[in-house]
Amino acid sequence: MSYIKKLFNLPENIEAFALIPVGYPDGQENKFVDRFDETRVHYGSYK
């Protein structure tokens, strides 16, 4: 997780505890369902 902490520039007091893969396995049909909800998007950062 130290790589992820550096990659996302997380401060020392923040601990990454999960990674969530996004996408589809190779060879599977993409059945896209649009579930985007702009109210759940956070644009802040730890800079």
Side-chain angles (χ1 to χ4, degrees):
M1 288 304 207
S2 61
Y3 173 77
I4 298 301
K5 202 169 196 170
K6 287 180 185 178
L7 181 67
F8 290 103
N9 196 27
L10 299 176
E12 288 300 316
N13 65 326
I14 301 294
E15 189 67 34
F17 63 90
L19 297 176
I20 302 171
V22 178
Y24 296 92
D26 222 10
Q28 293 209 355
E29 187 177 331
N30 179 358
K31 296 179 182 173
F32 177 74
V33 176
D34 187 4
R35 291 185 228 150
F36 178 72
D37 180 0
E38 189 173 346
T39 63
R40 298 187 69 173
V41 177
H42 173 71
Y43 292 102
S45 66
Y46 291 105
K47 289 186 178 182

